[in-house]
Amino acid sequence: MADIRPFLCIRPCKEKAGKIAALPYDVYNRREAKQEALRNPDSFLNIDRAETQFADEMDMYDDRVYQKAHDMLWERVADGSFVKEKERCFYVYELTMQGRTQTGIVACASIDDYQNQVIKKHENTRAEKEADRIRHVDVCNAQTGPIFLAYRSCKAINEAVLETKKKEPLYDFTAEDGVTHRVYRMDDAARIQAVKAAFADIREIYIADGHHRAASAVKVGLKRRGAHPSYTGEEEFNYFLSVLFPDDQLMIMDYNRVVKDLNGYTPQEFLKKAGELFYIEETEIGQAVEDARKPRQKGTFSMYLAGKWYSCRVKEQDIPDDPVGSLDVSLLQNLLLGPVLGIQDPKTDSRIDFVGGIRGLDELERRVGEDCAAAFAMYPTDIAELFAVADAGLLMPPKSTWFEPKLRSGLFIHELDRRV
């Protein structure tokens, strides 16, 4: 049973929502974050990445950085850039990208559900990344970036969402990347109760994206429990900001790989070695509407080597019958990248890099032309594969999924000690 609750939202005033809404803090490196913060002073990135307010020499984990984030957040609340809702509500958040729409419910999820694995993860987290967000949440006294959750589609929730979308939206804007964002408030008491009850009947919810934000929110909540003299379980810090989407609306893009060298092989030797492991055909690049470079089905990937594309198909006898080992990213790693290229740990090996599918296959060609020896275009991981891995209590390899469109930060803020 999932405990999903409405909450007292802090959100941008309508006039500023489009300028405040920002991509997640971790899609930028430090230089990119500084440039974006300078370009748009209203962007929530200024708060999410408060080191942008200091000289480049400042340690981004300095106490002053987190205090600056706190001060900027609450100064903006005080000056009217944000409004504080007075009633607990759900929100309906619709994102449209390239003609495709997905709609989720903005709510708060229980840290106990995370602890008890009602909310399931499929990735490990890194301690240093957790530590950064723990301090950001704790010092700001607020969760500012929602966790992207997924659940198996539910008729009652879908109906409540459709009814809410008949209302006038609170926000309706198209960001610079072409993604349209619409937000509706679900404030009808009967509808709120129906959604809560429907989620209570759902036994599994999955973290799609935002594992570090989720782990950090949970650890801040547990820390505050320990320090709270009259803890009841109803305090706001027992819940974390989330957007929950039905599985049948989600799109996972490919998460591709580039390697810096061929581990001593010439391109011809490497191609021959790969040909011993996979069924390989050179790809004819024509003028077809569909990009011939893309892999067409599970169990295949495309390889760009020495200026040519190749279609590679895994041999059936090499596909294990387990939810992790059968993932395409696992097959590439276990059959080729590890044993042939010597890349044993893709999390730490500097010889491999990862390129999100949103950047397209031209980016893979560019990287091979500039600083890499070969590129591998993957067939996207399916949401059912993600669920199967999490249900088995297992973890996916790093960089297995790339979700688009990205949820914006700054549209919804959850204060950790808020009272009506």
Side-chain angles (χ1 to χ4, degrees), residues 5 135 197 320:
R5 298 191 176 193
R135 292 175 70 190

Side-chain angles (χ1 to χ4, degrees), residues 32-101:
E32 292 168 339
K34 185 72 172 278
Q35 290 175 342
E36 177 62 17
L38 289 171
R39 188 189 68 81
N40 180 11
D42 286 323
S43 171
F44 201 81
L45 191 64
N46 290 271
I47 296 169
D48 257 352
R49 294 286 295 273
E51 77 274 10
T52 58
Q53 310 304 303
F54 297 89
D56 293 345
E57 295 74 27
M58 170 67 80
D59 179 356
M60 62 188 296
Y61 305 120
D62 190 286
D63 289 346
R64 289 168 289 180
V65 171
Y66 299 98
Q67 187 60 44
K68 183 67 174 178
H70 168 278
D71 295 347
M72 292 180 70
L73 170 61
W74 296 107
E75 284 166 6
R76 291 190 184 189
V77 173
D79 71 16
S81 297
F82 290 85
V83 297
K84 299 179 82 168
E85 295 275 28
K86 296 181 180 179
E87 296 180 358
R88 295 183 184 276
C89 302
F90 288 129
Y91 298 83
V92 171
Y93 184 13
E94 176 192 277
L95 301 94
T96 301
M97 174 181 162
Q98 298 176 354
R100 190 187 152 280
T101 295

Side-chain angles (χ1 to χ4, degrees), residues 290-303:
E290 193 168 6
D291 194 337
R293 299 172 296 179
K294 290 184 177 181
R296 293 285 176 262
Q297 62 187 29
K298 179 173 167 53
T300 67
F301 61 90
S302 297
M303 178 172 67

Side-chain angles (χ1 to χ4, degrees), residues 269-280 315 318 340:
E269 291 169 340
F270 181 69
L271 182 61
K272 181 180 179 182
K273 188 68 177 176
E276 297 170 2
L277 299 169
F278 310 105
Y279 300 113
I280 294 183
K315 298 174 181 178
D318 291 333
V340 178

Side-chain angles (χ1 to χ4, degrees), residues 109-125:
S110 165
I111 67 174
D112 288 321
D113 283 349
Y114 180 94
Q115 292 284 90
N116 298 331
Q117 298 182 25
V118 173
I119 297 174
K120 299 182 176 183
K121 64 180 183 177
H122 65 267
E123 286 182 8
N124 269 330
T125 54

Side-chain angles (χ1 to χ4, degrees), residues 12 27 43 65-66 73 77 89 137 168 192-193 219 221 232 265 280 314-315 380 412 416 418-419:
V27 305
S43 171
V65 171
Y66 299 98
L73 170 61
V77 173
C89 302
V137 170
E168 186 75 18
I192 288 173
Q193 187 54 42
K219 288 183 177 179
T232 67
Y265 292 98
I280 294 183
V314 180
K315 298 174 181 178
F412 314 98
L416 297 188
R418 177 85 183 275
R419 294 179 177 83

Side-chain angles (χ1 to χ4, degrees), residues 218-249:
V218 169
K219 288 183 177 179
V220 171
L222 294 175
K223 173 186 172 184
R224 294 195 176 200
R225 278 185 182 182
H228 206 280
S230 55
Y231 160 71
T232 67
E234 294 298 314
E235 298 86 357
E236 291 299 318
F237 57 71
N238 293 291
Y239 297 87
F240 58 89
L241 181 65
S242 306
V243 187
L244 300 101
F245 291 91
D247 61 337
D248 55 5
Q249 293 188 23

Side-chain angles (χ1 to χ4, degrees), residues 167-297:
K167 299 169 62 174
E168 186 75 18
L170 293 175
Y171 310 131
D172 185 349
F173 63 90
T174 300
E176 291 181 351
D177 59 2
V179 177
T180 297
H181 302 260
R182 294 189 182 94
V183 174
Y184 306 80
R185 180 167 46 211
M186 185 186 293
D187 51 12
D188 177 81
R191 195 164 293 148
I192 288 173
Q193 187 54 42
V195 169
K196 285 183 64 177
F199 275 118
D201 285 336
I202 293 176
R203 295 187 176 185
E204 300 98 5
I205 291 178
Y206 305 84
I207 300 176
D209 201 7
H211 282 78
H212 286 92
R213 288 191 293 276
S216 302
V218 169
K219 288 183 177 179
V220 171
L222 294 175
K223 173 186 172 184
R224 294 195 176 200
R225 278 185 182 182
H228 206 280
S230 55
Y231 160 71
T232 67
E234 294 298 314
E235 298 86 357
E236 291 299 318
F237 57 71
N238 293 291
Y239 297 87
F240 58 89
L241 181 65
S242 306
V243 187
L244 300 101
F245 291 91
D247 61 337
D248 55 5
Q249 293 188 23
L250 297 180
M251 178 179 69
I252 304 178
M253 297 186 74
D254 42 309
Y255 215 146
N256 303 313
R257 276 84 168 123
V258 290
V259 294
K260 303 296 179 65
D261 62 68
L262 299 179
N263 200 27
Y265 292 98
T266 67
Q268 294 76 20
E269 291 169 340
F270 181 69
L271 182 61
K272 181 180 179 182
K273 188 68 177 176
E276 297 170 2
L277 299 169
F278 310 105
Y279 300 113
I280 294 183
E281 293 181 1
E282 185 176 338
T283 302
E284 293 185 13
I285 307 298
Q287 300 299 315
V289 174
E290 193 168 6
D291 194 337
R293 299 172 296 179
K294 290 184 177 181
R296 293 285 176 262
Q297 62 187 29

